[in-house]
Amino acid sequence: MNTETLNKPHVILDRLQLAALAGLMFLGAMFVFSATMASESAAAVPWFKQFWFHQIIWYVLGIGAGAAICLVDYRTLSRWSFVIYWAMIIFLVAVLVPGIGTVHGGARRWINLPFFQFQPSEFAKLAFILAMSHFLSRPADELKQRENFWKGICLMLLPFVLILKEPDLGSALVLVPTGVVMMFVAGTPRSYLLKLGAGVGILGVIFLADILFAPRALQLPMQEYQRQRLLVYFGASFADAKATPEQKAEARRVQAERSYQVNQAMIGVGSGGLLGKGWRQGSQTALGFLPSGAAHNDFIFSVIAEEEGFVGSILVLTLYAVVLFTGLRIAGQARDRLGKLVAVGVVTLIFSHVFVNIGMNIRIVPVTGIPLPLLSYGGSSVLCSLIALGLMQNVHIHRKGY
Amino acid sequence: MLIVDEIKKNDPHLRLVALMFAFGFCVLIAGLWWVQVVSARKYQSHLETQAYRSVRIPSLRGKIFDREGRVLAENRPRYNLSLYLGDLRRQFDAAYDQLHKAAIQNQKQTIAAREKELGRSLTKAERKQFALTGDQLEQLRQQARQLVAGGAVAQVGRELGQPIAFDPVKFERQYRTRLALPYTVINNASPALLARYEEGSAAIPGVDVELQSIRDYPLGGTTAHLLGYVLRDDNSKEGEEAYFDYYLPDYRGVTGVEGSFDSLLRGQAGGGSVLVNSVGYRQSENILDAPEAGHNLVLTIDLDLQNAAAASFTAHQGEDARGAVVVMDVRTGDVLALVSSPAYDPDYYVGGLSAAEFQAETAFLSNTNLRPQINRATYENYAPGSIFKTVVAIAALEHGLDTNEIYHVQANPERPGRGIFYLGKRAIRDTAPPGDYNFQRAFIHSSNSYFITNGLRAGAENILRIGEKFHLGERTGLLPHQETGGHFPTQERVESSNWRAGDTANLCIGQGEIAVTPVQIAVMVSAIANGGKVLWPRIVERIEPQDPASGEAATNFPAGLVRDNLDVHPRTLSILRQAMLADVQSSEGTGIAAAVNGMQICAKTGTAEVQDAHNRDISQNFWFASFAPYENPKYAVVVMVEGGLHGSGGLDCAPIAHDIYAAILAKEKKATPQTVAKQ
């Protein structure tokens, strides 16, 4: 039995997952091209300066980084996880300092590097998964201690608060399901998790009630645009109940403006129909209804759905499903709890991104600016996704029975 | 599923996570199904309403020809110099950037000045006061585009060597409501202007020549009332798609042939769509539904006769004379000429006049005395006067009048040489001199006494019966929207207690409760000439497709449709015709001025008095109702002139009829050799 296994040609990598990833990257390049090449002025830019080409470069770099990660055993990497975690925390603090972090669209999320706008929150997700899996991989008995439960929560809350401060609600929120699922899989007692869930649920309800119904004076301190995004999602009026007619009219105007992107994204998705309009035939970006700044990153799914229709949407979902379920298989086959937790963390993170981003395009979830892994344009996101997937392959390489 | 199987046998934690993912995907798939498949149509229509502007594309209006294929109305291209706003978009943006920079600079300077004043730097809140508001930015945008558009217009003006006014308000309106359509800089550019433009400044960005179709009437006023006019009307007619975002210029026929046959001429408008981007600029165009061209109309009108009639009327009566001429083929009811005077300039309605001409024409059209918009051939009621004696003659002859019986006209003591007739206490003047009259003499002298006496003898009922056969008081259907039926008393009216002998006497001389139109009289004369067939007059001979290659057959309107038959003794009509012939040929005849060598003309003249509310004579209508040739009648010519207190049908109308008959004769002579050659 043993010899038989040893003599087998070793399947080092999970090929099915790699194929799905290749498919996603191909789609990503194709539709970043489609979303950005619609206008004549964009097409006039030399090819090496165009978004689609940059995206391909990021794919290549990301694949390189992911491959590099695979060279070192994840158990070795894990020993450094807290160093990486704290380094990331330092970056997250740094990005909040006005001289270091740069502001785009009202949020201070980026650190300018010579070739690259570095987005610490993306890398923080990765660092968080590493640190959390390292922390949770201790013997299951230790997890039953209340103290360790709270330590885990704090591990999650620290980056959560810092990212929320940027503000980047979406990136902060995806940490929660990732952390919770990891804790669950690690074997944290169910009672703790239920209490946590109940706590989060109550907080969430209070939070929403506060935003939707409370008078201005009693509302939580929050960025106005985030409040408005939530109001748009719930279809609530921007104006106070006591507002004058002028204020109400103004609020309606602002509301129309705020709802614009999501409405346009939805028109794009919906008008794609069953079969779509064909690659580069979508009119929402070409005519500028879907703002060109958003089409190739947060709303790339709208472009795909418009041009390839329901069939295209299902293709995208299928590719993600393959990645996620092979990821779970990797988790199941991992040689130790650490590997399992890393894989589960990565998979949950990707799932959260996919669900929130696509859900946002069809208005199931409120607009939160988070990218669609590997499809959205953006160096940090592509790089992090590929490194995370590299980690998962790493777990696969060192799996059980090998 | 392989992957799922593997997870199943693993630990329950992972299984739960997998279930959670599966559930998430199911939610997404369901959501996408709902949005992309179930509600796809809704979103597609959202997309259409925001990205497409529908445009109504008018069809090409049909042409109008005379019976020999000569053009009476057609479409002429008109060239406008227009500004295509989409092409100027970058310039708008560039100008805005400049203005914006200047505004920022200005703002900085004010802040600096303020800081100097205070001797400290301003706080954030203080700075905020100087920030540009959204309204200010919008104003800058507006200013920028007006600068660019105004500049382009001025440049065109410089190139063409003539200043062109730029109307910012009109431009702004166009920008806001019709951004996808061109803004007209010069309406109706002359060929010289176009040539200069093409030579010099074809490179001005955003400016281009735009083509428009305009209705053209080569004969102007001569055919004005016959053809009518068209008005700018971009709306859809019945049965067409009605809602469009934009409408291209279209015209609707209002009066005359253009009005009566509008739906045939107009065809079916089509629809197109303009794809616009999120700001509203035009991206591309396509035609979804091609317009169907209108039909050509071939009229029964003979342009030579129309010209002769109009020219003669003007020559004898002057430009501003009021009246009408109708020439009809007595065998078919075909209208060969239809003139109403005074005539307006049809270009007035399609915008082909200069400002000064336009003003003059406006004043002319609103002249309440001339009322140039009335088609006097069909749309105005006139007392027939003595020409109605033809009807009385038929009634009397049918009633057994002996044409040789002598009737004595009494002398009018107040007016020597004229007759008078007493009906009870009422005296009715007679222009015929006192003396003895038989039928023919009474007819050519148009003796009131004779016709009243014999009319009364025949009875009002019998006169009415004949008048009804002629369908007096009813529309002829020539121009459905522009015709009056005149007035003719009914049998009930005559039988009623307040109908008196005096009313019958009035009727006998074509006065009182009777009103006719020249076209009705033409139909009446035609019936007398053709042996008693009362015809439906016809003005459109046939409808043809505009494109001869379309394969659609021409539709002929039937000629000589008989509306009614007089059912009188042939002898009656022959006596009447002889009397009418004598009216022109005998030396005593009133219509002698109409006589033409080589054609025997039969006629009855008339002078009807027009009275005001106090029964005072205020003016007269002169009539000349005729047909020719006597032997083999072909043409009916009816001339009516609204005159003053002096004049008569013989003096005012007969010379015009003369000219028309001369033109007919000349035309027949010219045509004869050709007919021979054909045979």
Side-chain angles (χ1 to χ4, degrees):
Chain A
M1 176 78 187
N2 237 354
T3 42
E4 204 181 307
T5 323
L6 283 171
N7 290 342
K8 242 193 193 172
H10 301 313
V11 181
I12 302 177
L13 299 167
D14 189 326
R15 287 187 188 161
L16 184 58
Q17 185 175 61
L18 288 181
L21 291 177
L24 283 171
M25 283 187 274
F26 175 72
L27 285 180
M30 292 275 286
F31 285 94
V32 166
F33 182 94
S34 173
T36 54
M37 296 291 280
S39 69
E40 279 173 35
S41 55
V45 174
W47 60 273
F48 53 85
K49 279 189 180 169
Q50 280 168 355
F51 286 104
W52 61 270
F53 184 69
H54 287 188
Q55 182 81 338
I56 289 174
I57 292 182
W58 287 119
Y59 286 146
V60 172
L61 290 177
I63 291 167
I69 293 282
C70 289
L71 295 178
V72 190
D73 191 324
Y74 65 94
R75 284 163 295 186
T76 319
L77 277 174
S78 173
R79 282 178 216 139
W80 292 88
S81 62
F82 276 93
V83 177
I84 299 170
Y85 179 81
W86 287 110
M88 264 308 130
I89 295 297
I90 289 170
F91 274 118
L92 284 178
V93 173
V95 82
L96 296 175
V97 179
I100 303 171
T102 51
V103 180
H104 287 281
R108 199 176 291 282
R109 294 181 190 166
W110 292 269
I111 294 174
N112 268 344
L113 297 179
F115 297 105
F116 175 44
Q117 285 195 325
F118 169 67
Q119 203 178 344
S121 58
E122 289 294 325
F123 291 92
K125 294 171 192 167
L126 210 54
F128 166 71
I129 290 172
L130 272 179
M132 194 71 172
S133 50
H134 180 78
F135 176 78
L136 293 173
S137 63
R138 64 193 59 226
D141 288 343
E142 289 183 31
L143 292 178
K144 287 177 184 152
Q145 295 167 13
R146 191 171 290 267
E147 180 198 341
N148 279 330
F149 171 72
W150 286 114
K151 271 187 191 166
I153 296 289
C154 288
L155 209 56
M156 182 166 76
L157 274 184
L158 188 57
F160 177 85
V161 170
L162 287 171
I163 295 175
L164 196 62
K165 191 78 191 127
E166 286 180 2
D168 187 350
L169 182 66
S171 287
L173 281 179
V174 291
L175 292 180
V176 177
T178 310
V180 170
V181 168
M182 284 171 81
M183 284 164 94
F184 168 70
V185 172
T188 304
R190 202 159 283 201
S191 59
Y192 288 169
L193 287 175
L194 284 177
K195 277 178 200 157
L196 177 69
V200 169
I202 290 166
L203 276 179
V205 168
I206 292 174
F207 172 74
L208 281 181
D210 179 78
I211 284 172
L212 295 178
F213 306 115
R216 261 307 142 98
L218 294 179
Q219 274 168 11
L220 290 168
M222 187 177 188
Q223 291 290 324
E224 188 60 21
Y225 84 94
Q226 285 176 337
R227 201 178 80 85
Q228 285 171 349
R229 277 179 175 178
L230 286 167
L231 290 175
V232 165
Y233 174 68
F234 288 102
S237 167
F238 279 18
D240 280 338
K242 286 180 215 150
T244 61
E246 292 81 47
Q247 279 173 328
K248 276 184 181 160
E250 173 66 10
R252 259 200 302 279
R253 195 187 59 75
V254 173
Q255 185 150 22
E257 233 167 64
R258 292 284 178 273
S259 330
Y260 180 79
Q261 263 190 8
V262 145
N263 285 342
Q264 291 301 340
M266 236 177 133
I267 289 175
V269 173
S271 67
L274 189 63
L275 298 173
K277 301 170 187 170
W279 185 59
R280 297 197 66 194
Q281 302 301 312
S283 64
Q284 283 294 85
T285 34
L287 298 176
F289 287 106
L290 193 60
S292 58
H296 62 291
N297 45 51
D298 290 352
F299 287 101
I300 188 87
F301 183 77
S302 167
V303 178
I304 300 176
E306 183 184 3
E307 297 184 355
E308 301 303 328
F310 184 65
V311 172
S313 308
I314 294 299
L315 175 67
V316 170
L317 285 180
T318 308
L319 290 174
Y320 280 121
V322 168
V323 172
L324 296 180
F325 287 107
T326 51
L328 284 178
R329 183 170 67 183
I330 289 171
Q333 293 171 339
R335 78 180 305 137
D336 52 16
R337 290 180 61 224
L338 176 68
K340 178 172 162 185
L341 287 171
V342 167
V344 165
V346 170
V347 163
T348 314
L349 184 71
I350 291 175
F351 172 77
S352 309
H353 272 90
V354 170
F355 186 81
V356 172
N357 185 291
I358 295 181
M360 162 182 97
N361 274 288
I362 53 175
R363 228 171 162 167
I364 294 180
V365 293
V367 179
T368 41
I370 69 167
L372 196 53
L374 294 180
L375 289 180
S376 287
Y377 176 82
S380 296
S381 162
V382 167
L383 222 50
C384 283
S385 304
L386 285 169
I387 291 173
L389 289 158
L391 264 178
M392 196 147 69
Q393 292 289 345
N394 193 332
V395 173
H396 181 70
I397 294 167
H398 303 97
R399 68 185 181 272
K400 269 189 248 181
Y402 163 65
Chain B
M1 286 266 271
L2 265 175
I3 311 170
V4 180
D5 287 343
E6 211 147 337
I7 293 163
K8 259 189 190 165
K9 60 188 179 197
N10 263 298
D11 61 305
H13 290 293
L14 282 185
R15 205 187 306 159
L16 194 64
V17 174
L19 271 177
M20 191 185 79
F21 288 180
F23 176 72
F25 276 99
C26 286
V27 169
L28 287 182
I29 289 171
L32 285 166
W33 172 263
W34 178 256
V35 174
Q36 294 198 277
V37 181
V38 180
S39 336
R41 195 159 290 197
K42 172 182 138 195
Y43 289 104
Q44 274 154 7
S45 75
H46 271 302
L47 184 96
E48 273 164 27
T49 44
Q50 72 177 13
Y52 287 94
R53 303 283 180 274
S54 56
V55 181
R56 181 175 185 275
I57 305 171
S59 52
L60 193 61
R61 200 172 174 84
K63 295 178 192 161
I64 304 176
F65 300 103
D66 88 333
R67 65 187 305 128
E68 290 173 12
R70 288 168 291 196
V71 172
L72 301 180
E74 63 183 341
N75 307 302
R76 150 171 71 86
R78 180 160 92 171
Y79 301 94
N80 297 336
L81 275 184
S82 298
L83 219 50
Y84 286 80
L85 301 179
D87 298 346
L88 288 176
R89 195 179 164 190
R90 290 224 182 113
Q91 296 188 6
F92 290 160
D93 289 344
Y96 168 73
D97 284 346
Q98 273 188 354
L99 287 176
H100 188 235
K101 261 184 208 153
I104 296 280
Q105 199 63 38
N106 191 17
Q107 175 198 357
K108 273 185 186 156
Q109 277 172 2
T110 8
I111 292 176
R114 183 89 183 122
E115 281 179 340
K116 222 177 180 182
E117 217 179 283
L118 294 171
R120 62 173 173 87
S121 43
L122 295 175
T123 63
K124 244 187 181 174
E126 282 171 327
R127 274 169 184 278
K128 228 176 185 173
Q129 292 174 0
F130 295 102
L132 294 166
T133 64
D135 280 351
Q136 280 171 321
L137 292 180
E138 180 48 41
Q139 223 157 26
L140 283 184
R141 280 198 182 279
Q142 192 175 334
Q143 204 183 333
R145 61 179 173 251
Q146 289 182 4
L147 223 67
V148 171
V153 170
Q155 200 183 344
V156 175
R158 272 197 303 280
E159 294 281 348
L160 297 180
Q162 66 171 61
I164 304 166
F166 173 70
D167 181 356
V169 177
K170 188 181 150 208
F171 172 78
E172 212 43 42
R173 196 168 49 225
Q174 172 96 13
Y175 185 88
R176 285 177 199 284
T177 60
R178 295 159 70 91
L179 185 55
L181 296 186
Y183 168 78
T184 310
V185 178
I186 299 181
N187 231 333
N188 197 9
S190 67
L193 217 56
L194 277 181
R196 216 176 314 157
Y197 170 79
E198 292 290 353
E199 256 173 34
S201 58
I204 300 178
V207 180
D208 212 341
V209 177
E210 183 201 3
L211 184 75
Q212 243 185 20
S213 178
I214 289 291
R215 202 65 169 161
D216 187 37
Y217 304 101
L219 292 136
T222 302
T223 53
H225 286 285
L226 165 70
L227 300 177
Y229 58 85
V230 292
L231 276 184
R232 177 73 189 270
D233 181 359
D234 306 340
N235 292 317
S236 298
K237 63 178 190 190
E238 236 171 88
E240 283 179 351
E241 198 183 328
Y243 298 101
F244 292 94
D245 294 314
Y246 297 136
Y247 293 80
L248 294 179
D250 195 4
Y251 294 90
R252 175 173 56 86
V254 182
T255 60
V257 171
E258 294 268 32
S260 296
F261 299 90
D262 184 51
S263 52
L264 279 174
L265 285 164
R266 206 174 180 186
Q268 194 90 10
S273 68
V274 180
L275 186 64
V276 298
N277 66 13
S278 57
V279 196
Y281 287 105
R282 183 179 61 158
Q283 205 84 3
S284 66
E285 277 173 28
N286 65 343
I287 292 175
L288 303 170
D289 177 13
E292 246 174 70
H295 286 83
N296 287 343
L297 295 188
V298 178
L299 301 188
T300 58
I301 295 293
D302 184 324
L303 186 54
D304 297 320
L305 300 187
Q306 178 80 15
N307 273 331
S312 171
F313 193 93
T314 312
H316 287 286
Q317 296 287 330
E319 285 271 356
D320 283 353
R322 297 162 301 166
V325 178
V326 177
V327 180
M328 193 175 274
D329 187 323
V330 302
R331 300 162 298 181
T332 58
D334 284 2
V335 176
L336 302 174
L338 189 108
V339 173
S340 172
S341 178
Y344 56 87
D345 186 345
D347 278 352
Y348 177 81
Y349 296 98
V350 289
L353 298 184
S354 71
E357 285 172 327
F358 185 83
Q359 230 169 18
E361 190 73 12
T362 308
F364 172 64
L365 284 172
S366 53
N367 185 326
T368 50
N369 185 35
L370 296 180
R371 294 188 301 145
Q373 278 170 315
I374 298 290
N375 185 347
R376 293 182 155 79
T378 58
Y379 209 19
E380 187 74 303
N381 289 323
Y382 295 101
S386 300
I387 54 169
F388 189 69
K389 284 173 185 157
T390 50
V391 177
V392 179
I394 294 169
L397 288 167
E398 287 290 291
H399 193 252
L401 170 69
D402 178 0
T403 53
N404 295 320
E405 186 189 339
I406 298 298
Y407 176 84
H408 185 77
V409 175
Q410 296 177 17
N412 186 345
E414 286 164 25
R415 299 174 77 195
R418 299 287 172 92
I420 196 156
F421 179 76
Y422 293 100
L423 182 71
K425 283 181 193 164
R426 187 177 153 208
I428 298 171
R429 285 190 298 206
D430 193 345
T431 48
D436 290 342
Y437 288 86
N438 65 3
F439 173 77
Q440 185 154 321
R441 183 151 191 267
F443 189 85
I444 61 181
H445 280 283
S446 197
S447 166
N448 286 349
S449 318
Y450 183 91
F451 279 94
I452 291 171
T453 307
N454 285 301
L456 285 171
R457 213 185 277 169
E461 295 76 15
N462 284 324
I463 298 172
L464 252 52
R465 206 170 44 77
I466 300 297
E468 279 161 6
K469 294 269 184 179
F470 282 119
H471 289 269
L472 296 174
E474 291 172 50
R475 293 190 178 126
T476 64
L478 189 66
L479 294 174
H481 303 295
Q482 225 188 343
E483 199 186 3
T484 170
H487 179 77
F488 197 65
T490 58
Q491 294 285 1
E492 292 85 65
R493 170 82 185 96
V494 171
E495 284 157 16
S496 74
S497 57
N498 54 357
W499 180 270
R500 296 167 208 288
D503 293 317
T504 308
N506 274 345
L507 193 63
C508 290
I509 57 172
Q511 297 279 161
E513 286 189 32
I514 179 169
V516 296
T517 65
V519 164
Q520 283 177 330
I521 296 304
V523 172
M524 185 185 89
V525 175
S526 297
I528 294 168
N530 68 24
K533 278 183 291 177
V534 179
L535 300 166
W536 288 101
R538 177 177 82 148
I539 201 159
V540 177
E541 188 178 314
R542 63 178 185 275
I543 306 164
E544 294 176 339
Q546 239 183 104
D547 177 12
S550 73
E552 190 190 328
T555 316
N556 283 299
F557 277 59
L561 270 186
V562 177
R563 187 181 194 179
D564 214 333
N565 239 305
L566 281 183
D567 284 331
V568 294
H569 205 279
R571 184 181 148 271
T572 302
L573 290 181
S574 102
I575 291 168
L576 182 59
R577 283 197 291 257
Q578 270 171 22
M580 287 174 81
L581 179 66
D583 199 15
V584 178
Q585 292 204 329
S586 99
S587 55
E588 287 185 301
T590 47
I592 200 158
V596 175
N597 259 341
M599 196 174 230
Q600 288 187 302
I601 299 167
C602 309
K604 178 76 194 87
T605 61
T607 301
E609 275 150 14
V610 181
Q611 293 174 328
D612 66 5
H614 307 287
N615 289 338
R616 281 181 307 221
D617 293 351
I618 46 169
S619 65
Q620 291 174 308
N621 298 327
F622 310 126
W623 287 94
F624 188 82
S626 67
F627 67 87
Y630 168 71
E631 289 295 344
N632 184 17
K634 285 185 194 159
Y635 305 97
V637 174
V638 173
V639 181
M640 189 280 304
V641 175
E642 287 180 47
L645 289 169
H646 304 286
S648 71
L651 288 175
D652 288 283
C653 303
I656 298 169
H658 165 87
D659 292 352
I660 295 167
Y661 282 117
I664 290 172
L665 213 55
K667 197 174 164 77
E668 282 196 337
K669 269 189 193 143
K670 221 168 77 182
T672 319
Q674 282 174 356
T675 343
V676 171
K678 259 186 206 166
Q679 287 166 344

